[in-house]
Amino acid sequence: METEVPSLPVEVICYILSFLSTSDRKEASLVNTAWYAASLDRSLQKNVIYNFQASSACLESIRDLGWRQSPSVALRNFDGVPISNTVIQSIMLHLAPNLENLSLRGSYISESSFVSLITSCHNLRGLDITGCNCLFMSGILLSKGKSKSMMAEALVNLQELNLSNLSYLSDQTFNRLTECTPNLRKLSLASCHITFGFDPYRGMSVFNSTALLSFSNILHFINGQAATLKALNLSRTTITNEAMWSIGQVAGLCLEELALQHCRDITDEAVSAICACQPGLTTLDLAGCSELTGKSVLAIVSSLQCLESLSLSRVRNITDSVLKELATIPTLQALDVSECYQVNGYDLIMGLASPKAGSKLSRLNFSCCTMVNDDCVFSMARVLGGRLRELDLTSCVYITDISVCAIVYHLRGLTVLRLGWCKEITDWGLQGMIASNNDSEPYSKGDGEPELSRSFGNMGFFAPPKYLNEQPEVVTESDIEASKEQERASLSSLTRLKELSLTACTKLTDTSIIKEIRFEELRTLSLSMVREITDESFISITTHCRSLERLSLSHCSRLTDQGLIGAASHLKKLTHLDISCCDKITSQMLKVLMNECKWLKSLDVSMCGGLTVADIEQLQLLHPTLTNVQARCLGGDDLPLTLWTKTE
């Protein structure tokens, strides 16, 4: 007689589930009742956000989620119609007591519904009302003493408040709301219309304007909450140097995060001042601040020795020479210099390789840095080695197979690799081989390292490759057999990859895609505009990458119904699919896709010549859970706007 296997304690099952991704936990919860109960543990729900539309189809899900004690919810497309109020009432009844994070981004929720919803949530830690202009348009939000006192009771523990993109936010409504949040740690006012140029109160301390949101009022708020405020986002505002200096001088203020994206009026002097006054900053975002130069970088290096993440994206006056100094920041983990056209990476790599370097870079973004070439990537790969986790080389048009070979040999710990628009990458590179000068055979060193012997101190520039044509080089079976005796690393060596982009790498074919894209943990893959791949590649990818959640195959014109139907059964976790401009796709594939991919939420079939508007209308009627459909230019017509539902 077989003995019954004892069940694991719930605590052990929870511990096992904590190592799984969200999609894997969904599958594991179906094992049995005990595993399902363990999946509802509150500790496993912290990083999960449930999105709800204003639809009667959500009501049952909301009731079920009441058992999960879900801490994070996002409401989309809510307005004053009856069904929106019904859904809000259901959330108040089933979810509100346990809610910690609530997003109403872009909703047209009424003031009464907003107050009722928030006052029923007594454990809120984060509130996002980005773009909810209808709440502030009348100017009477929280004007009644009773509603304000109830709101203050509900928001007493609120730590994060996002007020971005509010056109009608005034000093009066801002004050009413923030007076209810005495423990606020993070505040975002990105894209708000803030007046910095003059003081409408002429030095008076009464801030009650119903028409303006003034910097003097915001500064008054910062002074009052300096003890708790740790993060501030003033991106896309007209903040001035003087305003920056005033923030830095606030007594008791110790900021950890500061975002100033596209604040075009600030200069090096402002950055130097804020860095000197706030040396505890760990995250600084200066993307798009076009007036900044290398002086800002030097100020950051001299003052911010606790900095962990720095974005200098689109700061186009930055040169490579000043980036060398960033390597001396011992805590720096993430650096974004995308679209900095004067950066070639050499001095940064030299700094990272120097004995004084203390940086522990794990994320590096060189996207659109067109001066980056093979020498830079090869040296960077050798210097950073196993530390690097995310690398973005999108549109670095001069890198070739040499760079790919260096990446796969040295950067085995990568989880994110983006090589989109690197059009000189071929099948050779993905397979760990480099074509020799006569293009007749590949070569690699016996120890697996690509044949590139330049030392770090003797780096020369490669001549830019000549774009003779866009046609892929043919790799034959005899070529592959001849190279098998040589030990090498190929793309499949990056076993930890979770995201891979090969968008517009037009020289790739089935030869390398079939053999190399085999990653058990891959979640996101883009092969858009890789026009030579066929159904054979698609079936191979879905067979060997069972964890795919996002897949982009737009402009892959050789894909047919046969391939997608054959692959659909392997895409159980797929949530986003882009097959736009694939003319051989028909409605037959859509039926199979929706039956097999139960989690699919987003689908792009724009400009698919084999589909009609009627096909998409029927698809949405039969599958209401498909909440984001892009279907432009089908048979010369666009999908009626009434049938479009977006979540992103």
Side-chain angles (χ1 to χ4, degrees):
M1 180 177 177
E2 294 183 2
T3 58
E4 185 178 352
V5 179
S7 59
L8 292 172
V10 173
E11 293 79 9
V12 175
I13 301 176
C14 288
Y15 181 72
I16 295 172
L17 293 176
S18 67
F19 291 95
L20 303 181
S21 66
T22 302
S23 57
D24 289 334
R25 287 205 300 269
K26 290 178 182 178
E27 299 293 331
S29 67
L30 302 178
V31 171
N32 55 38
T33 304
W35 283 71
Y36 177 75
S39 71
L40 304 183
D41 188 89
R42 190 176 181 83
S43 64
L44 299 175
Q45 303 292 317
K46 290 182 178 179
N47 297 322
V48 179
I49 301 175
Y50 293 93
N51 291 271
F52 294 108
Q53 300 285 330
S55 167
S56 57
C58 297
L59 297 177
E60 184 177 354
S61 299
I62 292 171
R63 287 193 294 269
D64 292 340
L65 284 175
W67 294 97
R68 291 178 178 262
Q69 299 184 355
S70 307
S72 301
V73 166
L75 308 184
R76 299 287 184 259
N77 301 321
F78 276 69
D79 49 28
V81 300
I83 187 58
S84 293
N85 296 328
T86 302
V87 173
I88 289 174
Q89 291 294 327
S90 182
I91 290 173
M92 290 168 57
L93 178 62
H94 299 287
L95 302 182
N98 299 303
L99 275 186
E100 292 184 3
N101 297 283
L102 177 63
S103 173
L104 298 169
R105 182 181 292 259
S107 293
Y108 291 89
I109 188 172
S110 65
E111 296 170 11
S112 58
S113 296
F114 174 74
V115 173
S116 298
L117 176 59
I118 300 301
T119 53
S120 65
C121 304
H122 290 274
N123 292 301
L124 275 184
R125 299 293 186 273
L127 177 61
D128 184 352
I129 50 177
T130 297
C132 295
N133 284 300
C134 59
L135 285 176
F136 301 91
M137 193 176 299
S138 67
I140 62 173
L141 181 66
L142 302 181
S143 60
K144 297 180 181 179
K146 184 178 180 180
S147 61
K148 185 176 179 181
S149 61
M150 293 173 61
M151 187 73 76
E153 183 180 351
L155 299 181
V156 66
N157 294 316
L158 193 75
Q159 296 182 3
E160 301 182 20
L161 179 60
N162 193 336
L163 301 176
S164 301
N165 200 26
L166 293 175
S167 302
Y168 300 99
L169 186 63
S170 66
D171 284 342
Q172 192 174 79
T173 50
F174 176 81
N175 292 341
R176 288 175 189 161
L177 191 55
T178 54
E179 284 169 4
C180 301
T181 59
N183 296 301
L184 205 61
R185 292 178 58 86
K186 294 185 178 182
L187 174 65
S188 177
L189 293 168
S191 299
C192 287
H193 299 300
I194 304 172
T195 58
F196 292 95
F198 74 101
D199 181 8
Y201 305 103
R202 298 181 180 180
M204 298 175 62
S205 58
V206 179
F207 307 101
N208 57 3
S209 173
T210 59
L212 298 174
L213 178 62
S214 64
F215 174 70
S216 55
N217 184 44
I218 294 171
L219 187 62
H220 177 74
F221 163 78
I222 294 174
N223 274 283
Q225 296 213 186
T228 61
L229 195 64
K230 299 298 179 184
L232 188 60
N233 187 346
L234 293 170
S235 299
R236 297 180 295 280
T237 64
T238 56
I239 188 170
T240 61
N241 288 352
E242 293 75 14
M244 286 289 297
W245 184 86
S246 299
I247 292 174
Q249 292 294 315
V250 171
L253 181 65
C254 297
L255 290 177
E256 296 175 1
E257 301 177 20
L258 179 61
L260 298 168
Q261 289 186 21
H262 296 279
C263 293
R264 303 181 185 277
D265 294 329
I266 64 171
T267 63
D268 295 328
E269 288 72 19
V271 174
S272 298
I274 200 70
C275 289
C277 297
Q278 300 294 328
L281 282 172
T282 59
T283 300
L284 181 59
D285 190 345
L286 299 173
C289 296
S290 55
E291 295 298 316
L292 302 185
T293 69
K295 293 180 180 179
S296 292
V297 177
L298 297 178
I300 291 169
V301 171
S302 63
S303 301
L304 304 183
Q305 289 300 302
C306 297
L307 194 65
E308 297 176 3
S309 177
L310 175 62
S311 176
L312 297 171
S313 175
R314 298 181 295 281
V315 183
R316 290 167 183 165
N317 291 324
I318 296 293
T319 61
D320 204 55
S321 58
V322 298
L323 295 181
K324 180 178 180 180
E325 303 301 323
L326 290 175
T328 61
I329 302 178
T331 55
L332 189 63
Q333 298 177 22
L335 177 62
D336 183 353
V337 289
S338 58
E339 298 184 53
C340 294
Y341 300 134
Q342 298 187 62
V343 170
N344 57 37
Y346 287 108
D347 287 308
L348 175 62
I349 302 304
M350 289 178 66
L352 292 170
S354 69
K356 297 180 180 180
S359 178
K360 301 177 181 178
L361 273 182
S362 60
R363 290 177 288 163
L364 185 57
N365 189 344
F366 276 135
S367 176
C368 297
C369 293
T370 52
M371 292 179 67
V372 171
N373 62 18
D374 285 328
D375 273 0
C376 172
V377 176
F378 182 79
S379 300
M380 177 267 297
R382 293 183 63 182
V383 170
L384 295 179
R387 296 199 304 268
L388 203 63
R389 294 293 177 265
E390 299 181 16
L391 178 61
D392 192 336
L393 296 172
T394 302
S395 295
C396 293
V397 294
Y398 290 149
I399 69 172
T400 68
D401 292 337
I402 293 175
S403 292
V404 180
C405 290
I407 289 169
V408 299
Y409 181 75
H410 291 287
L411 305 179
R412 299 292 181 87
L414 281 179
T415 59
V416 176
L417 176 60
R418 302 187 184 104
L419 297 171
W421 297 92
C422 298
K423 294 188 175 183
E424 291 304 302
I425 294 175
T426 71
D427 288 335
W428 295 122
L430 265 60
Q431 295 178 99
M433 300 177 285
I434 307 172
S436 60
N437 292 334
N438 58 14
D439 292 331
S440 61
E441 61 181 14
Y443 66 86
S444 63
K445 291 180 65 175
D447 61 357
E449 184 173 339
E451 185 66 40
L452 186 63
S453 58
R454 294 171 175 81
S455 65
F456 181 80
N458 185 29
M459 294 186 299
F461 284 87
F462 282 120
K466 296 179 180 179
Y467 297 95
L468 299 178
N469 56 67
E470 291 291 332
Q471 297 300 318
E473 299 176 15
V474 177
V475 182
T476 65
E477 288 296 328
S478 60
D479 293 329
I480 296 173
E481 291 297 327
S483 67
K484 282 184 177 178
E485 298 179 0
Q486 300 173 328
E487 183 182 355
R488 67 181 188 277
S490 63
L491 187 69
S492 58
S493 302
L494 304 179
T495 56
R496 299 181 183 180
L497 270 189
K498 294 183 179 180
E499 179 181 341
L500 174 64
S501 175
L502 295 170
T503 301
C505 293
T506 53
K507 294 188 177 182
L508 298 179
T509 69
D510 287 344
T511 303
S512 61
I513 300 298
I514 292 172
K515 293 181 179 296
E516 300 302 331
I517 300 187
R518 301 187 175 196
F519 306 105
E520 293 181 359
E521 298 183 23
L522 195 67
R523 302 283 190 267
T524 302
L525 174 64
S526 177
L527 292 173
S528 295
M529 290 179 278
V530 183
R531 295 185 175 90
E532 296 298 319
I533 63 172
T534 65
D535 291 338
E536 189 177 358
S537 280
F538 188 40
I539 293 174
S540 173
I541 289 168
T542 55
T543 302
H544 296 98
C545 305
R546 299 292 186 94
S547 298
L548 275 178
E549 297 175 7
R550 293 173 174 265
L551 179 60
S552 181
L553 297 167
S554 68
H555 293 84
C556 294
S557 56
R558 299 180 66 179
L559 297 181
T560 68
D561 278 356
Q562 183 179 0
L564 271 73
I565 291 173
S569 61
H570 303 306
L571 296 172
K572 299 296 185 182
K573 299 178 182 179
L574 196 67
T575 59
H576 297 76
L577 177 63
D578 182 358
I579 48 175
S580 58
C581 300
C582 295
D583 289 334
K584 297 178 181 179
I585 302 302
T586 69
S587 59
Q588 180 185 3
M589 183 281 299
L590 293 182
K591 294 177 182 177
V592 175
L593 181 72
M594 295 309 302
N595 287 333
E596 295 289 345
C597 304
K598 302 296 185 181
W599 300 109
L600 193 65
K601 297 178 182 179
S602 175
L603 177 65
D604 192 341
V605 290
S606 301
M607 292 178 280
C608 288
L611 297 174
T612 65
V613 171
D615 294 330
I616 306 304
E617 290 176 344
Q618 184 179 15
L619 178 71
Q620 286 204 308
L621 290 174
L622 295 176
H623 301 279
T625 56
L626 187 62
T627 54
N628 187 349
V629 176
Q630 299 282 354
R632 298 181 297 274
C633 303
L634 297 184
D637 296 320
D638 285 350
L639 188 66
L641 291 176
T642 54
L643 292 179
W644 283 24
T645 308
K646 296 185 179 182
T647 59
E648 298 180 347

